């Protein structure tokens, strides 16, 4: 039997799971949760939309290129350090850590921006 591992997992707080057996109370609670979710959606759309008003495909491409460049710099630095065969110095490790952190932050920003568009918080022109 094969197993497929994914990076996603379900948290208990991800979805409404009623604990009360009373259907009327469950409906009432679902209605309240839908109002809360809608309020959060409107707030995200207004705030993010005003902060990121000029999104277009070119903005995504620039961010993608910057992220790819940071990834390549991180890996190139690791390869440079491995050429001598000697253990890395603390300075080398600090440079490698800095390069990895830059890549990871840019990758998260790209994914965050994509989610904002996907959820309707920001629009692409």
């Amino acid at each position: 039997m094969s197993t497929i591992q994914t990076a996603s997992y379900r948290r208990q707080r991800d979805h409404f799971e009623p604990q009360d057996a009373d259907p009327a109370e469950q409906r009432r609670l679902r209605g309240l949760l839908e109002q809360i979710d809608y309020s959060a959606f409107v707030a995200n759309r207004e705030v993010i939309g005003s902060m990121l008003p000029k999104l277009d495909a070119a903005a995504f491409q620039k961010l993608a290129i910057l992220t790819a460049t940071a990834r390549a710099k991180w890996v190139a630095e690791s390869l440079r350090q491995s050429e001598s065969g000697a253990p890395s110095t603390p300075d080398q490790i600090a440079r490698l850590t800095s390069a990895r952190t830059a890549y990871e932050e840019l990758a998260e920003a790209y994914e965050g921006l994509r989610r904002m568009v996907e959820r309707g918080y920001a629009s692409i022109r």
Side-chain angles (χ1 to χ4, degrees):
M1 177 198 297
S2 64
T3 302
I4 297 174
Q5 184 175 4
T6 65
S8 63
Y9 56 93
R10 184 168 182 228
R11 296 183 197 111
Q12 193 68 359
R13 65 182 186 269
D14 280 349
H15 301 284
F16 172 64
E17 295 177 7
Q19 303 298 318
D20 191 343
D22 179 23
E25 179 60 22
Q26 289 176 12
R27 281 192 300 280
R28 187 190 72 75
L29 186 54
R30 277 181 211 234
L32 289 172
L33 291 172
E34 285 179 13
Q35 288 176 352
I36 291 168
D37 288 345
Y38 185 72
S39 295
F41 168 77
V42 170
N44 276 295
R45 188 181 61 200
E46 289 177 4
V47 171
I48 293 168
S50 69
M51 292 182 76
L52 305 173
K54 297 180 180 178
L55 282 181
D56 58 9
F60 273 90
Q61 184 177 15
K62 288 176 186 175
L63 184 54
I65 289 169
L66 189 63
T67 304
T69 301
R71 180 185 237 177
K73 285 181 179 179
W74 170 43
V75 173
E77 178 63 26
S78 70
L79 292 173
R80 269 192 298 282
Q81 290 183 22
S82 70
E83 286 176 355
S84 71
S88 296
T89 66
D91 285 345
Q92 288 174 318
I93 295 299
R95 280 196 312 274
L96 191 59
T97 300
S98 176
R100 178 184 45 81
T101 301
Y103 159 66
E104 289 176 348
E105 287 300 322
L106 287 165
E108 286 294 321
Y110 180 88
E111 287 301 318
L113 182 58
R114 187 180 183 287
R115 274 191 307 274
M116 289 176 201
V117 171
E118 184 177 71
R119 292 179 179 173
Y121 303 154
S123 59
I124 298 179
R125 294 184 291 135

